[in-house]
Every structure is written in C-alpha cells, then in structure tokens.
Amino acid sequence: MQVHPATEPRRSRRAVATIFALNGFLAAMWVAHIPVISGRTDVGHDELGGLLLLLGGSAFVGMQLCGPLIDRWGSRPLTVFAASLLSAVIITPVLAVDTLTLGAALAAFGFANGCLDVSMNAQAVAVERAYRRPIMSSFHGFFSAGSLVGSGVVAATLWADAGVVPTVACAAFAGFLVVAAVARQLTGDDKAPAGPAPDTSSDIGAGSWWHGIDRRRLVLLAVVAFGLMLAEGTAYDWSALHIVESHGTSEAIGAIAFGAFSATMTVARFVIDPVVAAVGAVRVLRVGALVGMAGMAIAIASPIPALAVAGWAVFGLGLAGLIPQIFTAAGNLTDSAGGRTISVVVGCGYLGMLAGPAVVGFISSRTSLDIGLLAALAALLLAVFFAGVVRPREQPVSALGEPRSTSPGGRATLEE
C-alpha cells in the first residue's frame, strides 16, 4: 500500500519524539539515582564533580565523531546505533562499586548519550523543515516527559525498596524494544545524496566545511549553548542532592525535586512552539533565561524543602524553550554539513554541562552547595545578552547577537 506523502512527516515526527522520550527516560535512570550511587560507591563532592567532568568529556568525543558521520550517511543509522548503545550501557553506573568502576561506566554512558544527542537533534531539524513551522520544542518536550517518567519510576522504586539494579535493567530492556519499534520510521531526508561520498575526512582536517558558514554566528550559538547547558546540567546533576543535603530530606524527596524541574520543563516545551511563532525566538530565549534565574534564586534562598522544590520547578519553566531555539538555529545555519554544525553547538553545550557540575562540586566542597549553585545564575546571563543570535539567518546579526533589522512585529519565523 502506498503511503500518502503527508503521512511520512507525521510518522517520522512520532518516531523522533519517541527517541527523545527514550533518551530522557534513560538519562533519568542515572540522574535520579545519583544520591544512591554516590553513597554506594563512597564518592564525595570533589570526586563526583570529576566523574561528571569525565562523563561530559566522553559525550563531547561522541558528538564530534557523530557529526561528520551524519553528513556522510544521514542521521537515521546513527540514531538507531546510539539509542541501542545507550540502552546497553545504562545499567553500568548502578553496578559500579567504587570510583574507578563508576568512572568507566560514566565514560561509556557519556559517549552513547553524546552520539544520541547529536543524531536525534539532526533528525528533529530534518522533520521540522518538512513541517515548515516551529516544532523543535515539542521534541525536547518528549525528552522532558521521558525524564519525568523516569524520575517518577526511580522515586517509586526507591520508596518501595524494589532494588536499584532490577529497576535499571528493566529500563534497559524497554529501551531495546523501543528502538526496534521505531527504527524504520525515522526520517532519511538528511541522508547524503547518491553518488560519490564527500571527502569528510579531509574536510575535518582542513576545516573546509566552514566555507559558506557564518562562523561568527556559529561561535555565538556555541557560547550560548555552553551557558544554557551549564545551567540545565546543574539541575540534572545537583537538584536531587541539593534537597537532600540542604534540607535533610530523604533520597526519595530529592528525586521529587528533579521531577518538579522535569515536570515544568515538560509542560512548557509542549506549548512553547506557538509562542515562538507569535513573539519570536529571541524574546523567548531572553525572557526564559530571566525566569530561570529567578527560579534558581528561589531554590537557593528557600528556608523550607517545599519552596526549594518550587524553585527548581520555576527553574525548569524558564529553561524549557531555550535549548530548542539554539539547536534549531544551529541546524539551519547552513544547507550542508548540518551534522557538524549541530555537533559543534551541542558539543560546546556539553562542555558547559561538563564544566558546570564540576564547578558546582568544587565550590560546594569548600563552601556549601547553595553557594555552588550560583554558577547557574551567572551562566544564564549569556542567554540574556546574546539572545539575538537565534534569529533566522536571513536577517543580519550584530556582534552582540542583536538583530540589525526585524520582520514586522519583531517576529522570527522558520524559513526554508
């Protein structure tokens, strides 16, 4: 039976959304178990910060290897490979018994997650182009939904004392089933055209793939991604531990803090695309960063656990629509080498995720975790000042990322 052409983008959108949700679910298996894993392996703040540095570094390596391969073969095979690998290695952190084994586990986890982050976002950009309207935030909404479900599963199983290893093993098995179910429905629209393969190896060495790219804008996108993912990584790696240590709550309540962050991010990401179409990506980026700063201030200053959890929720609300705008801008920065532009921007974002939690760990081990979290506030200032960099590339951008001219009403729309 012949498939109607309009049906293909919808099928691909559902498949890509499912991969985003799976990524969020599997990531939550690590994040929400951090207090348990750090206790079982006797890892302190300094050591945990260093291990998170290792995780981010291995993710960065995976991203940079994945980008050129996407430009050669398309993002579909890389997405299937990376999602399968992540499902396989997610069990390793909860099997760790000391710092060394946890480091090896996080290196494998980071590599797989980095490959998947680039490949699934390349998939999302291709599907968004087919739709010809903003839908990127909804994909990231499914990631957040997966994180929310995952953190809920962790909180429930910890409360019921169901066992950490069986919980994560079941999650890994579910991951394999999901990848097998959606693999054939992923889009192949970003696959390289038939004919002789481009010499990507020489491109990498000589930097010739930069030709025709607005390099100044690419750098600004990378800088903003660095700051945003530093702030977001702070929530992933420290929100649960912050509630446990600063307010003396149980580990299950700590998981709820991360769940609150995930919940508000999930809801906002599912409704932000029409807002982007109405008021523009620049305004969404700038206002969202300010809201995120307010949420972090509430979480730090709160005298009671409930208000601190609310602060993490506001933090998630502010950050919800920010990274999707950066990735859309990166994916549409050029008509070719999209895998590499995405890998550069996402990779620099992971450098922020690499540096941020490590900095928080370093500062908190010498002062307090509340003081360490101030790093996230400083990072969000980058998005406030450079928000104009996400305006569509057809419109000139000044050195500070501000538009020199705007469309009617100051709106930014997705253009082909």
Side-chain angles (χ1 to χ4, degrees):
M1 187 175 89
Q2 186 174 10
V3 178
H4 191 278
T7 303
E8 286 295 339
R10 290 198 293 269
R11 291 178 59 186
S12 295
R13 183 179 183 178
R14 288 194 295 268
V16 175
T18 301
I19 292 294
F20 269 82
L22 175 64
N23 190 192
F25 179 80
L26 294 178
M29 289 295 109
W30 151 245
V31 173
H33 276 126
I34 285 178
V36 176
I37 295 172
S38 62
R40 291 175 57 170
T41 55
D42 197 25
V43 171
H45 282 180
D46 269 345
E47 290 177 307
L48 181 58
L51 290 173
L52 295 174
L53 191 72
L54 174 63
L55 187 156
S58 62
F60 183 81
V61 171
M63 290 171 186
Q64 302 317 303
L65 290 176
C66 192
L69 295 179
I70 289 173
D71 291 335
R72 181 187 290 268
W73 295 322
S75 58
R76 178 162 57 190
L78 272 299
T79 300
V80 172
F81 164 77
S84 300
L85 180 61
L86 186 63
S87 299
V89 303
I90 190 61
I91 189 69
T92 57
V94 297
L95 294 176
V97 295
D98 54 23
T99 303
L100 182 62
T101 53
L102 182 57
L106 293 184
F109 173 80
F111 180 83
N113 198 63
C115 290
L116 184 56
D117 207 337
V118 171
S119 60
M120 72 182 187
N121 274 288
Q123 281 278 302
V125 169
V127 174
E128 188 177 50
R129 283 174 179 168
Y131 268 72
R132 302 182 64 86
R133 60 183 172 85
I135 60 171
M136 178 64 83
S137 291
S138 68
F139 287 122
H140 287 257
F142 278 99
F143 176 90
S144 298
S147 297
L148 177 60
V149 172
S151 63
V153 168
V154 172
T157 53
L158 286 175
W159 205 288
D161 197 22
V164 174
V165 174
T167 298
V168 182
C170 289
F173 180 70
F176 286 116
L177 294 180
V178 168
V179 174
V182 305
R184 294 175 60 86
Q185 299 173 21
L186 296 171
T187 183
D189 287 349
D190 61 346
K191 185 177 180 179
D199 187 4
T200 54
S201 60
S202 63
D203 285 354
I204 297 170
S208 60
W209 67 273
W210 283 58
H211 293 170
I213 294 177
D214 186 342
R215 282 166 276 184
R216 175 178 51 81
R217 190 174 183 195
L218 179 60
V219 170
L220 284 176
L221 285 169
V223 168
V224 177
F226 179 93
L228 293 179
M229 292 190 73
L230 186 155
E232 191 169 330
T234 299
Y236 288 135
D237 293 323
W238 294 105
S239 58
L241 204 58
H242 171 250
I243 299 298
V244 172
E245 293 201 353
S246 296
H247 298 281
T249 67
S250 67
E251 292 168 343
I253 298 299
I256 290 174
F258 175 67
F261 166 83
S262 298
T264 54
M265 182 169 278
T266 300
V267 173
R269 281 179 168 173
F270 280 120
V271 301
I272 201 70
D273 287 323
V275 177
V276 175
V279 305
V282 175
R283 191 172 300 173
V284 167
L285 185 61
R286 182 170 289 126
V287 173
L290 292 172
V291 172
M293 292 173 69
M296 179 58 73
I298 293 171
I300 293 173
S302 170
I304 58 174
L307 188 56
V309 170
W312 284 109
V314 174
F315 188 65
L317 180 65
L319 267 61
L322 308 191
I323 280 294
Q325 310 316 313
I326 298 297
F327 290 173
T328 286
N332 291 287
L333 189 60
T334 175
D335 293 328
S336 61
R340 277 171 283 190
T341 56
I342 292 175
S343 70
V344 167
V345 173
V346 177
C348 287
Y350 259 78
L351 288 179
M353 192 167 284
L354 176 154
V359 169
V360 171
F362 178 83
I363 296 173
S364 64
S365 67
R366 287 155 178 79
T367 54
S368 69
L369 189 50
D370 284 336
I371 298 298
L373 292 175
L374 291 174
L377 282 172
L380 287 177
L381 284 174
L382 292 171
V384 174
F385 287 118
F386 298 136
V389 75
V390 298
R391 190 169 294 276
R393 60 174 168 150
E394 290 79 7
Q395 299 183 11
V397 179
S398 72
L400 290 179
E402 292 293 341
R404 293 193 180 114
S405 62
T406 62
S407 57
R411 298 177 183 178
T413 58
L414 192 68
E415 299 181 21
E416 291 288 313

Short mmCIF file of all heavy atoms in Angstrom, two decimals, residues 326-387:
data_model
loop_
_atom_site.label_atom_id
_atom_site.label_comp_id
_atom_site.label_asym_id
_atom_site.label_seq_id
_atom_site.Cartn_x
_atom_site.Cartn_y
_atom_site.Cartn_z
N ILE A 326 18.27 27.19 20.22
CA ILE A 326 19.68 27.15 19.84
C ILE A 326 19.93 26.04 18.82
O ILE A 326 20.62 26.23 17.82
CB ILE A 326 20.57 26.92 21.09
CG1 ILE A 326 20.40 28.08 22.09
CG2 ILE A 326 22.03 26.78 20.69
CD1 ILE A 326 20.84 29.41 21.56
N PHE A 327 19.34 24.87 19.05
CA PHE A 327 19.58 23.74 18.15
C PHE A 327 18.92 23.95 16.80
O PHE A 327 19.46 23.54 15.76
CB PHE A 327 19.10 22.44 18.79
CG PHE A 327 19.93 21.98 19.96
CD1 PHE A 327 19.53 20.91 20.73
CD2 PHE A 327 21.11 22.63 20.29
CE1 PHE A 327 20.30 20.47 21.81
CE2 PHE A 327 21.89 22.22 21.37
CZ PHE A 327 21.48 21.13 22.13
N THR A 328 17.74 24.57 16.78
CA THR A 328 17.11 24.89 15.50
C THR A 328 17.97 25.86 14.71
O THR A 328 18.19 25.68 13.50
CB THR A 328 15.72 25.50 15.74
OG1 THR A 328 14.81 24.48 16.13
CG2 THR A 328 15.18 26.15 14.47
N ALA A 329 18.48 26.89 15.37
CA ALA A 329 19.34 27.86 14.70
C ALA A 329 20.61 27.20 14.17
O ALA A 329 21.07 27.48 13.06
CB ALA A 329 19.70 29.00 15.65
N ALA A 330 21.19 26.28 14.95
CA ALA A 330 22.41 25.59 14.51
C ALA A 330 22.13 24.68 13.33
O ALA A 330 22.91 24.64 12.37
CB ALA A 330 22.99 24.78 15.67
N GLY A 331 21.01 23.96 13.36
CA GLY A 331 20.70 23.03 12.28
C GLY A 331 20.37 23.73 10.98
O GLY A 331 20.54 23.15 9.90
N ASN A 332 19.92 24.99 11.05
CA ASN A 332 19.58 25.75 9.86
C ASN A 332 20.62 26.80 9.51
O ASN A 332 20.38 27.67 8.69
CB ASN A 332 18.21 26.41 10.04
CG ASN A 332 17.08 25.40 10.05
OD1 ASN A 332 16.73 24.85 9.01
ND2 ASN A 332 16.52 25.14 11.22
N LEU A 333 21.79 26.70 10.12
CA LEU A 333 22.84 27.67 9.87
C LEU A 333 23.42 27.51 8.46
O LEU A 333 23.94 28.45 7.88
CB LEU A 333 23.95 27.51 10.92
CG LEU A 333 25.04 28.57 10.96
CD1 LEU A 333 24.45 29.94 11.24
CD2 LEU A 333 26.08 28.22 12.03
N THR A 334 23.32 26.32 7.91
CA THR A 334 23.86 26.03 6.59
C THR A 334 22.99 24.98 5.91
O THR A 334 22.30 24.22 6.57
CB THR A 334 25.31 25.50 6.70
OG1 THR A 334 25.77 25.12 5.41
CG2 THR A 334 25.40 24.32 7.65
N ASP A 335 23.05 24.96 4.57
CA ASP A 335 22.30 23.96 3.83
C ASP A 335 23.07 22.65 3.69
O ASP A 335 22.54 21.66 3.19
CB ASP A 335 21.96 24.49 2.43
CG ASP A 335 20.99 25.66 2.49
OD1 ASP A 335 20.16 25.68 3.41
OD2 ASP A 335 21.10 26.57 1.63
N SER A 336 24.33 22.65 4.09
CA SER A 336 25.14 21.43 4.07
C SER A 336 25.93 21.36 5.36
O SER A 336 26.04 22.34 6.10
CB SER A 336 26.10 21.44 2.87
OG SER A 336 26.99 22.53 2.97
N ALA A 337 26.51 20.19 5.64
CA ALA A 337 27.31 19.98 6.86
C ALA A 337 26.50 20.26 8.12
O ALA A 337 27.04 20.70 9.13
CB ALA A 337 28.57 20.84 6.85
N GLY A 338 25.16 20.01 8.05
CA GLY A 338 24.32 20.26 9.21
C GLY A 338 24.69 19.40 10.40
O GLY A 338 24.57 19.84 11.54
N GLY A 339 25.13 18.18 10.15
CA GLY A 339 25.54 17.32 11.25
C GLY A 339 26.69 17.91 12.03
O GLY A 339 26.73 17.85 13.26
N ARG A 340 27.62 18.52 11.32
CA ARG A 340 28.78 19.09 12.00
C ARG A 340 28.45 20.40 12.71
O ARG A 340 28.99 20.66 13.78
CB ARG A 340 29.93 19.27 11.00
CG ARG A 340 30.72 17.98 10.82
CD ARG A 340 31.70 18.06 9.69
NE ARG A 340 31.01 17.93 8.40
CZ ARG A 340 31.64 17.77 7.23
NH1 ARG A 340 32.96 17.72 7.21
NH2 ARG A 340 30.96 17.65 6.12
N THR A 341 27.59 21.24 12.13
CA THR A 341 27.23 22.45 12.85
C THR A 341 26.47 22.12 14.13
O THR A 341 26.69 22.73 15.17
CB THR A 341 26.38 23.39 11.97
OG1 THR A 341 25.22 22.70 11.50
CG2 THR A 341 27.18 23.91 10.79
N ILE A 342 25.58 21.12 14.05
CA ILE A 342 24.87 20.69 15.25
C ILE A 342 25.85 20.10 16.26
O ILE A 342 25.77 20.38 17.46
CB ILE A 342 23.76 19.68 14.90
CG1 ILE A 342 22.65 20.36 14.10
CG2 ILE A 342 23.17 19.06 16.18
CD1 ILE A 342 21.58 19.41 13.61
N SER A 343 26.80 19.29 15.78
CA SER A 343 27.74 18.66 16.71
C SER A 343 28.62 19.69 17.39
O SER A 343 28.97 19.54 18.57
CB SER A 343 28.60 17.62 15.98
OG SER A 343 29.51 18.23 15.09
N VAL A 344 28.98 20.77 16.69
CA VAL A 344 29.80 21.82 17.30
C VAL A 344 29.01 22.52 18.41
O VAL A 344 29.50 22.70 19.52
CB VAL A 344 30.26 22.83 16.24
CG1 VAL A 344 30.82 24.09 16.91
CG2 VAL A 344 31.33 22.21 15.35
N VAL A 345 27.77 22.92 18.09
CA VAL A 345 26.97 23.66 19.07
C VAL A 345 26.57 22.78 20.25
O VAL A 345 26.70 23.17 21.41
CB VAL A 345 25.72 24.28 18.39
CG1 VAL A 345 24.80 24.90 19.42
CG2 VAL A 345 26.16 25.32 17.37
N VAL A 346 26.08 21.57 19.96
CA VAL A 346 25.71 20.66 21.03
C VAL A 346 26.95 20.27 21.83
O VAL A 346 26.91 20.16 23.06
CB VAL A 346 25.02 19.40 20.48
CG1 VAL A 346 24.71 18.41 21.59
CG2 VAL A 346 23.73 19.79 19.76
N GLY A 347 28.09 20.09 21.13
CA GLY A 347 29.32 19.75 21.83
C GLY A 347 29.77 20.84 22.78
O GLY A 347 30.19 20.56 23.91
N CYS A 348 29.68 22.09 22.35
CA CYS A 348 30.03 23.19 23.25
C CYS A 348 29.05 23.28 24.40
O CYS A 348 29.42 23.65 25.52
CB CYS A 348 30.08 24.50 22.48
SG CYS A 348 31.52 24.64 21.40
N GLY A 349 27.78 22.94 24.12
CA GLY A 349 26.83 22.88 25.22
C GLY A 349 27.25 21.84 26.25
O GLY A 349 27.15 22.07 27.45
N TYR A 350 27.72 20.70 25.77
CA TYR A 350 28.17 19.68 26.70
C TYR A 350 29.44 20.08 27.43
O TYR A 350 29.69 19.60 28.54
CB TYR A 350 28.36 18.35 25.97
CG TYR A 350 27.19 17.43 26.21
CD1 TYR A 350 25.99 17.62 25.52
CD2 TYR A 350 27.25 16.41 27.15
CE1 TYR A 350 24.91 16.80 25.75
CE2 TYR A 350 26.17 15.59 27.37
CZ TYR A 350 25.00 15.79 26.68
OH TYR A 350 23.92 14.97 26.93
N LEU A 351 30.25 20.93 26.82
CA LEU A 351 31.37 21.48 27.57
C LEU A 351 30.85 22.28 28.76
O LEU A 351 31.45 22.27 29.84
CB LEU A 351 32.24 22.36 26.67
CG LEU A 351 33.09 21.64 25.62
CD1 LEU A 351 33.87 22.66 24.79
CD2 LEU A 351 34.03 20.66 26.29
N GLY A 352 29.72 22.97 28.55
CA GLY A 352 29.09 23.67 29.66
C GLY A 352 28.57 22.69 30.69
O GLY A 352 28.72 22.89 31.90
N MET A 353 27.94 21.60 30.21
CA MET A 353 27.46 20.58 31.13
C MET A 353 28.62 19.90 31.84
O MET A 353 28.51 19.46 32.99
CB MET A 353 26.62 19.55 30.37
CG MET A 353 25.84 18.61 31.26
SD MET A 353 24.58 17.67 30.35
CE MET A 353 23.31 18.93 30.12
N LEU A 354 29.76 19.82 31.16
CA LEU A 354 30.98 19.26 31.73
C LEU A 354 31.55 20.19 32.80
O LEU A 354 31.89 19.75 33.90
CB LEU A 354 31.98 19.02 30.60
CG LEU A 354 33.40 18.53 30.87
CD1 LEU A 354 33.90 17.81 29.64
CD2 LEU A 354 34.35 19.67 31.18
N ALA A 355 31.65 21.47 32.47
CA ALA A 355 32.28 22.42 33.38
C ALA A 355 31.37 22.78 34.55
O ALA A 355 31.83 22.89 35.69
CB ALA A 355 32.68 23.69 32.63
N GLY A 356 30.07 22.96 34.27
CA GLY A 356 29.16 23.45 35.30
C GLY A 356 29.07 22.59 36.55
O GLY A 356 29.38 23.06 37.65
N PRO A 357 28.67 21.33 36.42
CA PRO A 357 28.58 20.49 37.61
C PRO A 357 29.92 20.33 38.31
O PRO A 357 29.96 20.23 39.54
CB PRO A 357 28.08 19.16 37.04
CG PRO A 357 27.34 19.54 35.81
CD PRO A 357 28.10 20.68 35.23
N ALA A 358 31.02 20.31 37.55
CA ALA A 358 32.34 20.21 38.17
C ALA A 358 32.64 21.45 38.99
O ALA A 358 33.17 21.37 40.11
CB ALA A 358 33.41 19.99 37.11
N VAL A 359 32.29 22.62 38.43
CA VAL A 359 32.49 23.87 39.17
C VAL A 359 31.63 23.91 40.42
O VAL A 359 32.08 24.31 41.50
CB VAL A 359 32.20 25.08 38.25
CG1 VAL A 359 32.13 26.37 39.07
CG2 VAL A 359 33.25 25.20 37.17
N VAL A 360 30.36 23.49 40.27
CA VAL A 360 29.47 23.45 41.43
C VAL A 360 30.03 22.52 42.51
O VAL A 360 30.03 22.85 43.69
CB VAL A 360 28.05 22.99 41.02
CG1 VAL A 360 27.18 22.72 42.25
CG2 VAL A 360 27.39 24.04 40.14
N GLY A 361 30.53 21.36 42.09
CA GLY A 361 31.10 20.43 43.05
C GLY A 361 32.33 21.00 43.73
O GLY A 361 32.52 20.84 44.95
N PHE A 362 33.18 21.68 42.96
CA PHE A 362 34.39 22.27 43.52
C PHE A 362 34.06 23.36 44.54
O PHE A 362 34.60 23.40 45.64
CB PHE A 362 35.25 22.85 42.39
CG PHE A 362 36.51 23.54 42.85
CD1 PHE A 362 37.65 22.79 43.13
CD2 PHE A 362 36.56 24.92 43.00
CE1 PHE A 362 38.81 23.42 43.55
CE2 PHE A 362 37.71 25.56 43.42
CZ PHE A 362 38.84 24.80 43.70
N ILE A 363 33.13 24.26 44.16
CA ILE A 363 32.76 25.36 45.06
C ILE A 363 32.04 24.84 46.30
O ILE A 363 32.34 25.26 47.42
CB ILE A 363 31.88 26.39 44.31
CG1 ILE A 363 32.66 27.04 43.18
CG2 ILE A 363 31.36 27.45 45.28
CD1 ILE A 363 31.81 27.95 42.30
N SER A 364 31.11 23.91 46.10
CA SER A 364 30.30 23.44 47.24
C SER A 364 31.13 22.65 48.24
O SER A 364 30.82 22.65 49.44
CB SER A 364 29.14 22.57 46.73
OG SER A 364 29.62 21.41 46.10
N SER A 365 32.18 21.97 47.77
CA SER A 365 33.01 21.21 48.71
C SER A 365 33.81 22.14 49.62
O SER A 365 34.27 21.72 50.68
CB SER A 365 33.96 20.29 47.94
OG SER A 365 34.91 21.04 47.21
N ARG A 366 33.95 23.39 49.23
CA ARG A 366 34.71 24.35 50.02
C ARG A 366 33.83 25.38 50.72
O ARG A 366 34.28 26.06 51.64
CB ARG A 366 35.73 25.06 49.12
CG ARG A 366 36.88 24.15 48.75
CD ARG A 366 37.56 24.55 47.44
NE ARG A 366 38.68 23.65 47.17
CZ ARG A 366 38.54 22.43 46.66
NH1 ARG A 366 37.33 21.97 46.39
NH2 ARG A 366 39.60 21.67 46.45
N THR A 367 32.59 25.50 50.27
CA THR A 367 31.66 26.43 50.91
C THR A 367 30.37 25.67 51.26
O THR A 367 30.27 25.07 52.30
CB THR A 367 31.36 27.62 49.98
OG1 THR A 367 30.89 27.14 48.71
CG2 THR A 367 32.61 28.47 49.75
N SER A 368 29.40 25.73 50.35
CA SER A 368 28.16 24.98 50.50
C SER A 368 27.56 24.77 49.12
O SER A 368 27.92 25.47 48.16
CB SER A 368 27.16 25.74 51.38
OG SER A 368 26.68 26.90 50.72
N LEU A 369 26.64 23.83 49.01
CA LEU A 369 26.01 23.57 47.73
C LEU A 369 25.18 24.76 47.27
O LEU A 369 25.10 25.05 46.07
CB LEU A 369 25.14 22.31 47.83
CG LEU A 369 24.55 21.76 46.52
CD1 LEU A 369 25.63 21.62 45.45
CD2 LEU A 369 23.88 20.43 46.77
N ASP A 370 24.58 25.49 48.21
CA ASP A 370 23.81 26.68 47.84
C ASP A 370 24.70 27.71 47.15
O ASP A 370 24.30 28.33 46.16
CB ASP A 370 23.18 27.31 49.10
CG ASP A 370 21.97 26.53 49.58
OD1 ASP A 370 21.37 25.82 48.76
OD2 ASP A 370 21.65 26.62 50.78
N ILE A 371 25.90 27.91 47.65
CA ILE A 371 26.83 28.85 47.03
C ILE A 371 27.27 28.34 45.66
O ILE A 371 27.36 29.10 44.69
CB ILE A 371 28.05 29.08 47.94
CG1 ILE A 371 27.61 29.70 49.27
CG2 ILE A 371 29.06 29.99 47.24
CD1 ILE A 371 26.95 31.05 49.15
N GLY A 372 27.53 27.04 45.57
CA GLY A 372 27.96 26.48 44.30
C GLY A 372 26.93 26.66 43.19
O GLY A 372 27.28 26.84 42.02
N LEU A 373 25.65 26.62 43.55
CA LEU A 373 24.59 26.74 42.54
C LEU A 373 24.51 28.12 41.92
O LEU A 373 23.83 28.31 40.90
CB LEU A 373 23.24 26.38 43.17
CG LEU A 373 23.07 24.90 43.56
CD1 LEU A 373 21.75 24.70 44.29
CD2 LEU A 373 23.14 24.00 42.34
N LEU A 374 25.17 29.11 42.50
CA LEU A 374 25.18 30.45 41.91
C LEU A 374 25.82 30.47 40.53
O LEU A 374 25.59 31.39 39.74
CB LEU A 374 25.92 31.43 42.84
CG LEU A 374 25.24 31.76 44.18
CD1 LEU A 374 26.16 32.61 45.04
CD2 LEU A 374 23.91 32.46 43.94
N ALA A 375 26.62 29.45 40.23
CA ALA A 375 27.23 29.37 38.90
C ALA A 375 26.17 29.31 37.80
O ALA A 375 26.37 29.83 36.70
CB ALA A 375 28.15 28.16 38.82
N ALA A 376 25.04 28.67 38.09
CA ALA A 376 23.96 28.57 37.09
C ALA A 376 23.35 29.94 36.80
O ALA A 376 22.98 30.24 35.66
CB ALA A 376 22.89 27.61 37.57
N LEU A 377 23.25 30.78 37.82
CA LEU A 377 22.73 32.13 37.62
C LEU A 377 23.62 32.91 36.67
O LEU A 377 23.15 33.59 35.76
CB LEU A 377 22.63 32.86 38.97
CG LEU A 377 21.45 32.51 39.87
CD1 LEU A 377 21.62 33.19 41.22
CD2 LEU A 377 20.15 32.96 39.24
N ALA A 378 24.92 32.83 36.90
CA ALA A 378 25.86 33.56 36.05
C ALA A 378 25.80 33.05 34.61
O ALA A 378 25.88 33.84 33.66
CB ALA A 378 27.28 33.41 36.60
N ALA A 379 25.64 31.74 34.43
CA ALA A 379 25.63 31.17 33.08
C ALA A 379 24.44 31.66 32.26
O ALA A 379 24.55 31.87 31.05
CB ALA A 379 25.61 29.65 33.18
N LEU A 380 23.29 31.84 32.92
CA LEU A 380 22.10 32.26 32.19
C LEU A 380 22.20 33.70 31.67
O LEU A 380 21.46 34.09 30.76
CB LEU A 380 20.86 32.12 33.08
CG LEU A 380 20.40 30.68 33.31
CD1 LEU A 380 19.22 30.65 34.27
CD2 LEU A 380 20.04 29.99 32.01
N LEU A 381 23.10 34.48 32.24
CA LEU A 381 23.30 35.83 31.73
C LEU A 381 23.77 35.84 30.28
O LEU A 381 23.50 36.79 29.53
CB LEU A 381 24.32 36.57 32.60
CG LEU A 381 23.82 37.07 33.96
CD1 LEU A 381 24.99 37.65 34.76
CD2 LEU A 381 22.71 38.11 33.80
N LEU A 382 24.48 34.79 29.86
CA LEU A 382 24.91 34.70 28.46
C LEU A 382 23.72 34.70 27.52
O LEU A 382 23.75 35.35 26.47
CB LEU A 382 25.74 33.43 28.27
CG LEU A 382 27.11 33.38 28.95
CD1 LEU A 382 27.70 31.98 28.83
CD2 LEU A 382 28.05 34.41 28.33
N ALA A 383 22.67 33.96 27.89
CA ALA A 383 21.47 33.90 27.05
C ALA A 383 20.75 35.24 27.01
O ALA A 383 20.18 35.62 25.98
CB ALA A 383 20.53 32.81 27.54
N VAL A 384 20.76 35.96 28.12
CA VAL A 384 20.12 37.28 28.17
C VAL A 384 20.80 38.25 27.20
O VAL A 384 20.14 38.96 26.44
CB VAL A 384 20.14 37.84 29.60
CG1 VAL A 384 19.60 39.26 29.62
CG2 VAL A 384 19.32 36.95 30.54
N PHE A 385 22.13 38.27 27.21
CA PHE A 385 22.87 39.24 26.39
C PHE A 385 22.95 38.85 24.92
O PHE A 385 22.97 39.72 24.05
CB PHE A 385 24.28 39.41 26.95
CG PHE A 385 24.33 40.19 28.24
CD1 PHE A 385 24.79 39.60 29.40
CD2 PHE A 385 23.89 41.50 28.30
CE1 PHE A 385 24.83 40.30 30.59
CE2 PHE A 385 23.92 42.22 29.49
CZ PHE A 385 24.39 41.62 30.64
N PHE A 386 23.02 37.54 24.63
CA PHE A 386 23.23 37.11 23.25
C PHE A 386 21.99 36.46 22.62
O PHE A 386 22.10 35.69 21.67
CB PHE A 386 24.39 36.11 23.20
CG PHE A 386 25.71 36.68 23.64
CD1 PHE A 386 26.54 35.95 24.47
CD2 PHE A 386 26.11 37.94 23.23
CE1 PHE A 386 27.76 36.46 24.89
CE2 PHE A 386 27.33 38.47 23.63
CZ PHE A 386 28.15 37.73 24.47
N ALA A 387 20.82 36.78 23.13
CA ALA A 387 19.59 36.12 22.67
C ALA A 387 19.34 36.32 21.18
O ALA A 387 18.77 35.46 20.51
CB ALA A 387 18.39 36.62 23.47
#
